[in-house]
Amino acid sequence: MSKQFDVIVIGGGPGGYIAAIRAAQLGFQVACIDEWKNEKGGPAPGGTCTNVGCIPSKALLQSSEHFEQANHHFADHGIKVSDVSIDVAKMIGRKDTVVKQNNDGILYLFKKNKVSFFHGRGSFAKAVEGGYEIQVAGSANETLTGKQIIIATGSNARALPGTPFDEVKVLSNDGALRINAVPKKLALIGSGVIGLEMGSVWRRLGSEVTILEGLPTFLGAVDEQIAKEAKKAFDKQGLKIELGVKVGEIKTTDAGVSVAYTNAKGEALSLDVDKLIVSIGRVPNTIGLNVEAVGLQLDERGAIVVDSDCKTNLPGVWAVGDVVRGPMLAHKAEEEGVAVAERIAGQHGHVNFNTIPWVIYTSPEIAWVGRTEQQLKADGVKYKAGTFPFLANGRARALGDTTGMVKFLADATTDEILGVHIVGPMASELIAEAVVAMEFKASAEDIARICHAHPSLSEATKEAALAVDKRTLNF
């Protein structure tokens, strides 16, 4: 007999598990279906983010940063170390522990909030009176019936045509997180978030890293001034980044991978490496969802078509996160998940796409919210800009990391903050102040007038706001 629920969430990633918890808080009887498995075959909710994305990559970035500091920067602090080595297996083991802690934390939250969890693949069976029948294919096959369905099935790594992932030599983000020894030579195709973060990890640990990017500009989505500053830092670190390349034939050999490509000058070149990471974007995941059974509409990219409220073409069916339009960011998925649960309850869920922060967790970190200078120019918006370098920030000097800057963009007439862009230490944390300010329609002057603790990195934010009016105090 089918088990009855008010809300069924298909997918237990950031969008799905958060939607399930919020729906349960609002008094609904909720089920969440997720098929991720740990190495023992048990449930591993959290989706790509927790299992092979945000969380494990940050664990490896932290480990590799410690190694980098010990090898190259401890001496500056009077700390003498010698014969520093890396135990890659131990590092990967720590990463796996961090992942499991997050998996277990989500399962605990389900119990705490009385969300019924089903381990397996969820798919549509048919529409029934007052809702939908959902099949769960797992160790024990089950049938659920829900009045409202939230799809949060995430995305999958995009492969190069004709070059499938084998996760041994040609790696997606999944395989990149399970490399068991430092490769002597490593290539990455794509200089986006995943490419830069994974390239940074293995470069710090001793790999010779080459990043091949098809676009002629570096980090085209980032403010141009910030991207140039970041590129200078990466070049100095030894990351070799080639722009404007056209990748040709890729061959796997006994020794590794051979990549043929044409550079920006039109020269035909070949690169032989031990491993190749392909990070050319992600595609919405609707595999096995059986959308045909109920007539759920997909677009030309394979994403589920939704309106501004995340409603699909079917009554009572919603979709959030990577499987719909918009940026593929875990926190965007979370916000949509909360909003949908509240809309189901008759409330007014809120997601402001203009204030969703973006972060690249390299060193230096890169973070931004709002529009870039090039976007404002293209839109014909009159604006004022202010920048402040971390070189002039006392806390950054004490940390020994003065790379980068904070940049404010404000409306030329009203002074409303239109965008904030940061490259430098702890940019991922500093950007939150800008998000709050923009949500409250703050002006640059508002931030300039707020007292910031001294010494702190956040003073660079205040100074950049002051710079909009050309009155910085420390530069």
Side-chain angles (χ1 to χ4, degrees):
M1 182 178 176
S2 176
K3 297 178 180 178
Q4 307 288 318
F5 293 93
D6 298 317
V7 178
I8 297 176
V9 182
I10 304 176
Y17 89 79
I18 289 293
I21 289 170
R22 183 65 185 126
Q25 289 175 344
L26 291 166
F28 294 113
Q29 188 176 2
V30 181
C32 184
I33 306 165
D34 188 78
E35 68 173 338
W36 278 90
K37 297 178 181 179
N38 58 30
E39 59 184 10
K40 296 181 180 179
T48 293
C49 175
T50 294
N51 292 292
V52 292
C54 322
I55 301 302
S57 64
K58 303 313 162 286
L60 294 185
L61 281 161
Q62 187 64 58
S63 296
S64 64
E65 178 67 16
H66 286 321
F67 185 72
E68 173 98 347
Q69 290 291 324
N71 267 307
H72 302 290
H73 302 291
F74 276 7
D76 295 338
H77 297 267
I79 303 170
K80 296 180 180 180
V81 294
S82 59
D83 300 324
V84 178
S85 61
I86 184 72
D87 183 338
V88 174
K90 180 76 172 179
M91 180 182 74
I92 298 297
R94 176 186 177 274
K95 178 263 297 181
D96 293 340
T97 297
V98 172
V99 168
K100 187 177 186 305
Q101 288 170 342
N102 280 267
N103 296 146
D104 292 346
I106 295 168
L107 291 171
Y108 163 77
L109 288 170
F110 282 158
K111 290 180 180 178
K112 176 185 175 183
N113 290 280
K114 297 181 172 58
V115 174
S116 298
F117 176 71
F118 294 87
H119 188 208
R121 172 169 293 205
S123 62
F124 285 98
K126 60 184 177 180
V128 295
E129 185 176 350
Y132 298 86
E133 194 172 277
I134 304 296
Q135 296 289 339
V136 182
S139 55
N141 295 334
E142 300 193 61
T143 302
L144 315 180
T145 301
K147 299 174 185 176
Q148 302 281 334
I149 311 298
I150 303 174
I151 304 167
T153 47
S155 61
N156 296 316
R158 184 192 303 274
L160 279 168
T163 309
F165 298 115
D166 61 19
E167 304 300 9
V168 177
K169 294 176 182 176
V170 180
L171 313 172
S172 69
N173 56 294
D174 187 356
L177 292 163
R178 292 188 281 107
I179 296 175
N180 57 14
V182 179
K184 185 177 180 181
K185 291 186 177 182
L186 173 69
L188 297 99
I189 297 177
S191 65
V193 176
I194 295 170
L196 286 174
E197 291 185 358
M198 288 297 95
S200 293
V201 167
W202 296 106
R203 194 278 307 164
R204 292 171 187 167
L205 300 181
S207 290
E208 182 183 322
V209 178
T210 302
I211 298 177
L212 303 176
E213 170 57 57
L215 294 175
T217 56
F218 179 64
L219 291 177
V222 177
D223 184 89
E224 188 175 340
Q225 185 178 9
I226 298 296
K228 286 180 178 177
E229 191 73 16
K231 176 85 165 43
K232 284 193 297 184
F234 297 142
D235 288 343
K236 186 177 179 180
Q237 292 169 7
L239 272 181
K240 185 179 179 182
I241 302 170
E242 292 202 39
L243 303 174
V245 308
K246 184 176 181 181
V247 175
E249 186 178 12
I250 297 174
K251 296 180 180 178
T252 57
T253 65
D254 292 340
V257 185
S258 180
V259 182
Y261 69 97
T262 304
N263 67 13
K265 297 178 182 178
E267 299 169 331
L269 301 171
S270 180
L271 181 64
D272 295 321
V273 295
D274 301 298
K275 293 184 183 294
L276 171 68
I277 299 173
V278 178
S279 57
I280 57 171
R282 300 182 64 80
V283 293
N285 176 28
T286 56
I287 299 170
L289 197 54
N290 197 23
V291 298
E292 301 83 4
V294 289
L296 182 64
Q297 185 181 356
L298 307 181
D299 68 13
E300 64 281 358
R301 298 184 308 114
I304 297 173
V305 176
V306 294
D307 64 11
S308 59
D309 288 337
C310 292
K311 292 179 182 177
T312 71
N313 65 306
L314 301 176
V317 179
W318 313 70
V320 302
D322 286 8
V323 80
V324 303
R325 80 287 178 267
M328 290 185 173
L329 298 169
H331 43 282
K332 174 259 195 184
E334 291 179 346
E335 293 303 304
E336 287 182 329
V338 169
V340 164
E342 292 176 349
R343 288 165 187 155
I344 290 172
Q347 299 180 9
H348 300 283
H350 165 79
V351 180
N352 184 354
F353 279 78
N354 295 320
T355 55
I356 293 175
W358 296 68
V359 181
I360 303 175
Y361 294 86
T362 46
S363 180
E365 291 186 345
I366 306 165
W368 69 99
V369 62
R371 285 184 281 180
T372 65
E373 191 166 359
Q374 57 262 39
Q375 286 173 329
L376 293 175
K377 287 179 180 177
D379 294 341
V381 177
K382 294 183 178 179
Y383 65 92
K384 299 177 291 183
T387 62
F388 186 82
F390 283 106
L391 184 67
N393 176 267
R395 183 66 190 280
R397 290 190 191 119
L399 288 172
D401 188 356
T402 56
T403 303
M405 68 177 74
V406 179
K407 179 175 183 176
F408 265 65
L409 298 168
D411 187 279
T413 303
T414 66
D415 197 40
E416 181 182 344
I417 301 167
L418 303 176
V420 177
H421 307 269
I422 307 172
V423 54
M426 302 305 291
S428 58
E429 302 296 334
L430 295 174
I431 200 64
E433 179 180 10
V435 175
V436 172
M438 289 181 64
E439 274 288 353
F440 283 93
K441 303 291 184 182
S443 65
E445 183 69 12
D446 288 329
I447 300 301
R449 291 286 178 183
I450 294 172
C451 182
H452 289 65
H454 175 76
S456 68
L457 295 173
S458 68
E459 287 179 286
T461 304
K462 175 187 176 80
E463 291 277 3
L466 284 165
V468 171
D469 194 41
K470 296 181 171 57
R471 64 179 209 271
T472 56
L473 298 171
N474 286 283
F475 184 71

